[in-house]
């Protein structure tokens, strides 16, 4: 199920960054929604891996935040699909997971992730800063 967040007012000194978050934890989705809204980032959520590619094509995000442990399809499968699709393959993907092993990190980077953040070790302000940095670095 896709969850849409209302567009927030835009202030001239704040860059608007559209973000797709693929996350199945409702509490974390709520916290991210508040943080993204307060950061003036229009966003959409997918709560499973099955609809992530379709939502990415519809919403055209500037950055995707992707969990690895998802119902339907795991984050590695979703990442591979995103990076194989012509329409969205250039979109930066931040892996945001509690899987902290070197194997997971290496696999994600190999599949095309732009960044890898451990949920338990990442302040949401840091995640938003990473989103903004990646959006700025890939702006056309």
């Amino acid at each position: 199920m896709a969850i849409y967040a209302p567009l927030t007012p835009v202030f001239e000194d704040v860059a608007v960054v559209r973000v797709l978050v693929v996350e199945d934890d409702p509490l974390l989705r709520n916290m991210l929604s508040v943080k993204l809204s307060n950061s003036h980032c229009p966003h959409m959520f997918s709560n499973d891996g099955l609809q992530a590619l379709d939502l990415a094509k519809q919403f055209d995000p500037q950055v995707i935040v992707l969990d690895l442990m998802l119902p339907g399809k795991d984050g590695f499968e979703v990442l591979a699909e995103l990076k194989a699709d012509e329409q969205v393959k250039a979109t930066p993907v931040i892996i945001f997971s509690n899987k902290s092993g070197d194997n997971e990190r290496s696999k994600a980077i190999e599949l095309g992730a732009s960044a890898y953040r451990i949920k338990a070790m990442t302040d949401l302000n840091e995640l938003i800063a990473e989103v903004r940095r990646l959006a700025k670095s890939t702006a056309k």
Side-chain angles (χ1 to χ4, degrees), residues 31-130:
M31 290 189 308
L32 283 168
S33 184
V34 169
K35 184 58 75 174
L36 288 164
S37 293
N38 289 342
S39 300
H40 312 292
C41 295
H43 53 283
M44 179 187 298
F45 288 94
S46 172
N47 62 0
D48 65 41
L50 296 173
Q51 62 183 342
L53 179 59
D54 288 338
L55 289 176
K57 289 178 172 186
Q58 291 170 23
F59 187 59
D60 190 28
Q62 292 162 278
V63 177
I64 298 170
V65 177
L66 176 62
D67 188 11
L68 291 179
M69 297 182 286
L70 297 164
K73 287 182 188 173
D74 73 27
F76 291 122
E77 291 175 89
V78 173
L79 180 59
E81 286 182 357
L82 290 167
K83 293 305 177 179
D85 187 273
E86 284 299 316
Q87 185 178 337
V88 296
K89 70 180 184 182
T91 305
V93 177
I94 300 171
I95 299 298
F96 191 50
S97 178
N98 273 323
K99 289 190 171 191
S100 60
D102 288 338
N103 290 340
E104 287 87 1
R105 183 182 302 269
S106 295
K107 183 174 181 180
I109 299 302
E110 182 180 302
L111 288 171
S114 301
Y116 195 104
R117 294 283 185 153
I118 308 301
K119 288 178 185 177
M121 299 170 61
T122 302
D123 180 281
L124 292 184
N125 290 321
E126 294 172 8
L127 180 64
I128 299 300
E130 185 85 32

Side-chain angles (χ1 to χ4, degrees), residues 6-44:
L7 294 178
T8 55
V10 179
F11 300 97
E12 289 183 29
D13 61 337
V14 177
V16 173
V17 179
R18 286 180 322 282
V19 182
L20 172 63
V21 180
V22 186
E23 173 60 60
D24 62 324
D25 181 324
L27 179 60
L28 185 54
R29 280 196 314 262
N30 287 340
M31 290 189 308
L32 283 168
S33 184
V34 169
K35 184 58 75 174
L36 288 164
S37 293
N38 289 342
S39 300
H40 312 292
C41 295
H43 53 283
M44 179 187 298

